[in-house]
Amino acid sequence: MMDLASQLLWSSELVQKYSVNGPRYTSYPTALSLLPDFPASAVQAALAGSAAELCLYLHIPFCQQLCYYCGCNKIVTRHSTKADLYLLALEQEMGLYQHLLADKTISQLHLGGGTPTFLTEEQLSLLMQLLRQHFVFKADAELSVEIDPRSCSLDKLAHLRELGFSRLSFGVQDFDEQVQVAINRVQSEELVRVLVLHARALGFSSINLDLVYGLPYQQATSFAETLDKVLELDPDRVSLFSYAHMPTRFAAQRKIPTRSLPQAEDKLALLQLAIERFSQAGYQCIGMDHFAKATDKLAIAQQQGKLQRNFQGYTTAGQDALVGLGVSSISQVNGVIWQNQKDLQQYQQQLALGQWPVDKGLSLTRDDKIRAALISQLICHFELDIPDFCLRFGLTDFWDYFADVLPKLEPLRADALVSYSDEHIQVTALGRLLVRIVCACFDRYLAKNDHLSYSKVV
């Protein structure tokens, strides 16, 4: 939990100093480090030697309306029939995986997007039928789905429950109307409230609300009102994402005037406000941007030192056992990372030819795996036991192995963001807000990639 006294240590100079671009480390190496022309044979070998339990992520790219802030891979259309062809491609992709995963079980399934609730009830039924035909699900498999309140009726919510979904994530972003208009995503508090209450009545076991800070026209007063409304809905989890304004990469973001965005210092104040409110309400801070009730599986995983991170964010499983299906989906299995084609037409064409729709990938080296484990430990738990880590990976001298890191860490120690010794690395309460910068010190790929391709840390 964030020590509120630490917030007072932030100065304008410190905020400006660390208002830099950097990865979110949902993987290491990051997706920008993946290489083209990655062979399908490497994917197949990774799957054949994978763990007995895997997690599935399935990307539904369609949205009925363009949200200006969004950087996800998406296709804006109001024609639900486009999803029929997409489901056919997904069935073809599932067929490629089926024989390789015949002896594996699926412990978690997550539908993301885009907008999964773009699908009609009939299409959702067909999708789940196809998944269960091609894969073996554990009896207690956890099924979760992202919800756009504007495209989810009460009947569709009930249908999702009937299909076995138990966890929901509602995209709220902000309840302030001026903010909603600016990002072209207008949805009333009442709409969200009715859906959340109905979800509880239907027996969904966990409800998450997604918020975004750093959006246009956000300010402390109005954001505090949004936080109060969120707390009234009593979600089990809250995801608080930092808005990444990258208009050169995402054309829709050019519709957001730069002058409407909060400055780095004001944006950090919004994050600190949220941390304070959720902590006071009894939520446990999970990593750098999630909150959960102490009884939630995510909080329990953190308490037990088992919290993980993958392309879906903080999670209880699937760090090196995640299979992504659908256009642009990213997988990481058995030390191999690969991403599907981002272009829908190319994705569908390759599958129609019986080809794996892999666009790029990477097989992790021993050094990659060492650094990946270290970064995951820091970004999930903010500390590292160096002797234990050395024993795990057979390192004789930790700081000799990471000799290149010390010059990068020293300025962070001088600014009280991190402390370290021969025995331990500790991200301070102050440094938790900038844990991505601490992790970046251990990233040997970062110098090779364009920093401007990453989002702002503050």
Side-chain angles (χ1 to χ4, degrees):
M1 184 178 294
M2 179 63 63
D3 177 4
L4 299 184
S6 70
Q7 298 176 24
L8 303 177
L9 299 176
W10 280 99
S11 64
S12 298
E13 293 77 13
L14 205 59
V15 172
Q16 293 302 322
K17 179 178 180 180
Y18 291 109
S19 182
V20 296
N21 299 70
R24 292 184 56 81
Y25 292 112
T26 52
S27 74
Y28 179 84
T30 68
L32 287 182
S33 300
L34 302 184
L35 302 175
D37 302 318
F38 192 69
S41 57
V43 172
Q44 295 161 4
L47 293 168
S50 68
E53 286 189 12
L54 297 170
C55 300
L56 278 180
Y57 169 79
L58 198 147
H59 190 73
I60 306 295
F62 305 107
C63 297
Q64 292 183 348
Q65 184 175 328
L66 179 66
C67 299
Y68 296 158
Y69 69 92
C70 182
C72 298
N73 184 283
K74 57 195 175 293
I75 297 168
V76 179
T77 178
R78 292 189 177 275
H79 301 292
S80 62
T81 53
K82 287 193 174 183
D84 292 327
L85 292 175
Y86 188 65
L87 289 175
L88 176 61
L90 283 173
E91 181 179 9
Q92 293 167 333
E93 187 178 11
M94 292 178 202
L96 297 176
Y97 281 88
Q98 186 175 19
H99 72 283
L100 291 167
L101 303 183
D103 61 342
K104 319 293 184 185
T105 56
I106 305 302
S107 61
Q108 292 184 3
L109 166 70
H110 182 77
L111 303 187
T115 307
T117 47
F118 175 91
L119 300 181
T120 65
E121 292 175 29
E122 292 76 14
Q123 289 168 336
L124 285 166
S125 291
L126 175 58
L127 175 60
M128 291 308 302
Q129 178 184 333
L130 292 173
L131 285 166
R132 294 190 182 280
Q133 284 176 354
H134 288 84
F135 304 108
V136 179
F137 283 78
K138 292 184 65 179
D140 60 348
E142 183 179 283
L143 276 56
S144 60
V145 58
E146 296 171 11
I147 304 285
D148 182 340
R150 301 168 302 169
S151 64
C152 188
S153 65
L154 297 182
D155 286 342
K156 187 176 289 188
L157 202 61
H159 189 65
L160 287 167
R161 188 73 189 100
E162 291 170 1
L163 290 174
F165 286 88
S166 59
R167 307 184 76 92
L168 302 175
S169 183
F170 289 96
V172 172
Q173 324 320 344
D174 195 313
F175 281 123
D176 183 79
E177 186 175 0
Q178 184 182 21
V179 175
Q180 291 184 355
V181 170
I183 63 175
N184 200 39
R185 187 185 175 105
V186 178
Q187 56 191 26
S188 69
E189 175 194 354
E190 179 64 13
L191 173 63
V192 176
R193 187 186 68 83
V194 168
L195 285 169
V196 169
L197 292 177
H198 193 59
R200 293 203 183 283
L202 289 169
F204 285 93
S205 61
S206 180
I207 294 174
N208 175 83
L209 299 184
D210 283 345
L211 299 177
V212 179
Y213 70 98
L215 292 173
Y217 303 110
Q218 276 183 336
Q219 49 188 304
T221 303
S222 60
F223 195 58
E225 293 176 359
T226 286
L227 296 175
D228 288 341
K229 293 173 181 177
V230 167
L231 288 170
E232 287 175 9
L233 293 173
D234 194 32
D236 301 283
R237 298 179 185 177
V238 176
S239 301
L240 180 64
F241 299 111
S242 170
Y243 170 58
H245 190 61
M246 306 173 73
T248 57
R249 287 188 62 192
F250 306 113
Q253 293 186 354
R254 298 168 198 163
K255 297 179 181 292
I256 297 176
T258 302
R259 65 181 182 278
S260 69
L261 299 172
Q263 297 298 305
E265 194 169 355
D266 298 324
K267 183 179 178 182
L268 183 62
L270 296 176
L271 173 59
Q272 292 175 327
L273 175 63
I275 291 171
E276 180 179 353
R277 290 292 180 89
F278 289 124
S279 297
Q280 289 175 348
Y283 286 82
Q284 184 173 317
C285 295
I286 308 293
M288 61 182 179
D289 54 16
H290 282 50
F291 305 87
K293 292 181 177 179
T295 54
D296 187 88
K297 289 183 179 179
L298 206 60
I300 293 171
Q302 185 183 58
Q303 293 161 13
Q304 296 176 343
K306 298 178 180 179
L307 186 67
Q308 300 181 32
R309 189 162 173 82
N310 63 22
F311 292 103
Q312 296 169 223
Y314 289 104
T315 179
T316 59
Q319 188 163 25
D320 193 38
L322 175 68
V323 173
L325 301 175
V327 63
S328 78
S329 287
I330 305 179
S331 305
Q332 180 167 357
V333 176
N334 198 23
V336 177
I337 304 175
W338 67 94
Q339 183 171 24
N340 279 351
Q341 294 288 350
K342 295 181 180 179
D343 180 76
L344 178 60
Q345 184 176 3
Q346 193 166 358
Y347 166 80
Q348 291 173 324
Q349 286 177 347
Q350 285 190 235
L351 285 167
L353 295 172
Q355 300 173 355
W356 288 74
V358 176
D359 178 40
K360 52 186 178 179
L362 188 72
S363 295
L364 273 64
T365 65
R366 178 175 181 271
D367 179 70
D368 290 336
K369 294 176 181 178
I370 290 172
R371 292 173 187 267
L374 187 152
I375 288 172
S376 176
Q377 177 66 24
L378 291 179
I379 208 165
C380 288
H381 303 287
F382 304 113
E383 62 181 352
L384 181 77
D385 184 310
I386 290 177
D388 281 354
F389 189 82
C390 287
L391 184 63
R392 175 182 172 188
F393 287 100
L395 302 181
T396 55
D397 187 320
F398 181 88
W399 290 114
D400 180 61
Y401 188 88
F402 290 108
D404 62 313
V405 173
L406 283 171
K408 304 172 188 176
L409 276 181
E410 186 53 38
L412 304 188
R413 176 159 68 175
D415 288 331
L417 303 183
V418 65
S419 64
Y420 53 88
S421 66
D422 289 339
E423 303 293 321
H424 202 242
I425 298 176
Q426 179 71 55
V427 181
T428 66
L430 183 67
R432 291 186 180 195
L433 300 184
L434 298 175
V435 66
R436 291 161 61 186
I437 291 178
V438 179
C439 293
C441 294
F442 295 88
D443 186 342
R444 73 179 183 91
Y445 290 88
L446 195 55
K448 302 176 185 178
N449 292 321
D450 182 1
H451 282 61
L452 296 180
S453 297
Y454 295 109
S455 61
K456 285 282 188 183
V457 174
V458 178

